[in-house]
């Protein structure tokens, strides 16, 4: 959580030792994957999906404005608090945009999870940018609107979205734009 980057120094009064403390939010709720499976087995209402997606978009925009790519947007990395707020969590493989081209490490070369992963991340390309997170959000939107996991192959996923008659044409078009 980007907000969790608040750190402060604590000095123990008795020993004089100095500690750095990382302040983080306590989140009470569950990830979206668990929420969908346990609380909404028949799917989430379209208006609720839209509210969820707007919050994720705001969070991603904030991260992208700071040149941070999440690279693992998926339902279990989106946390729904009890009062309905969505928090983007698990920045474990996130990268500063310029580090992807210059740094070599296992996390730079291995992004994301299954059907939520963008084609460029699957191909381990170095020119990954914000569009990778947008693709992943499109896959999450598909999951939330359809209650189906996205296909891992990008062409099969495109077909899966195009042929789904349970999603409005307007939403299909939006998802298709996000995953192209």
């Amino acid at each position: 959580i980007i907000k969790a980057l608040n750190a402060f120094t604590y000095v123990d009064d008795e020993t004089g030792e100095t500690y750095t403390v990382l302040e983080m939010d306590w989140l009470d709720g569950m990830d979206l994957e668990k929420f969908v499976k346990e609380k909404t087995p028949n799917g989430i209402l379209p208006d609720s999906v839209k509210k969820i997606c707007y919050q994720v978009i705001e969070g991603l925009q904030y991260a992208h404005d700071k040149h941070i790519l999440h690279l693992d947007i998926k339902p279990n990395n989106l946390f729904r608090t009890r009062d309905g707020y969505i928090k983007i969590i698990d920045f474990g493989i996130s990268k500063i945009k310029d580090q992807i081209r210059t740094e070599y490490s296992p996390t730079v070369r291995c992004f994301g999870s299954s059907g939520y992963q963008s084609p460029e991340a699957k191909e381990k390309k170095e020119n990954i940018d914000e569009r990778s997170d947008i693709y992943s959000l499109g896959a999450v939107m598909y999951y939330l609107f359809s209650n189906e996991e996205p296909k891992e192959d990008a062409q099969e996923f495109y077909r899966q979205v195009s042929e789904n008659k349970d999603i409005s044409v307007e939403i299909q078009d939006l998802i298709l734009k996000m995953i192209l």
Side-chain angles (χ1 to χ4, degrees):
I1 301 170
I2 295 172
K3 184 180 174 190
L5 297 178
N6 299 326
F8 60 93
T9 302
Y10 166 75
V11 179
D12 188 314
D13 290 337
E14 291 181 23
T15 66
E17 289 195 44
T18 304
Y19 302 94
T20 300
V21 178
L22 182 64
E23 178 184 351
M24 296 173 47
D25 287 340
W26 169 258
L27 298 178
D28 187 19
M30 63 181 67
D31 68 55
L32 277 183
E33 182 176 48
K34 188 173 183 180
F35 178 75
V36 168
K37 289 179 180 173
E38 290 184 10
K39 305 291 186 188
T40 59
N42 296 325
I44 300 177
L45 296 174
D47 284 346
S48 296
V49 173
K50 290 175 186 177
K51 288 177 186 175
I52 290 168
C53 292
Y54 285 130
Q55 291 181 60
V56 176
I57 289 167
E58 286 178 350
L60 283 176
Q61 182 65 55
Y62 184 83
H64 292 169
D65 287 347
K66 304 286 185 201
H67 306 286
I68 298 170
L69 305 177
H70 187 280
L71 303 176
D72 200 18
I73 296 294
K74 59 186 177 183
N76 63 348
N77 283 343
L78 300 172
F79 193 91
R80 184 185 184 279
T81 64
R82 289 193 187 275
D83 51 1
Y85 290 102
I86 303 299
K87 305 282 187 173
I88 301 172
I89 61 173
D90 193 357
F91 279 75
I93 65 169
S94 66
K95 291 293 172 198
I96 304 296
K97 190 174 176 183
D98 293 336
Q99 286 181 344
I100 293 171
R101 290 175 194 78
T102 60
E103 180 182 297
Y104 183 85
S105 73
T107 58
V108 171
R109 299 290 182 205
C110 181
F111 304 115
S113 303
S114 64
Y116 298 97
Q117 191 177 31
S118 69
E120 57 273 10
K122 287 177 185 169
E123 295 171 14
K124 297 170 182 49
K125 293 187 176 179
E126 293 181 351
N127 62 345
I128 290 177
D129 59 22
E130 295 85 354
R131 292 173 291 183
S132 185
D133 285 341
I134 293 168
Y135 179 98
S136 298
L137 178 56
V140 169
M141 284 179 64
Y142 179 78
Y143 172 75
L144 294 174
F145 276 108
S146 69
N147 216 15
E148 294 178 3
E149 291 285 334
K151 302 279 186 191
E152 289 191 30
D153 178 77
Q155 290 178 334
E156 288 179 27
F157 179 41
Y158 185 90
R159 196 170 318 123
Q160 181 184 25
V161 174
S162 301
E163 295 173 357
N164 188 313
K165 302 302 179 204
D166 295 329
I167 300 176
S168 72
V169 173
E170 174 185 272
I171 297 299
Q172 278 181 332
D173 289 345
L174 176 60
I175 294 170
L176 291 172
K177 286 178 185 175
M178 295 173 78
I179 66 173
L180 281 178

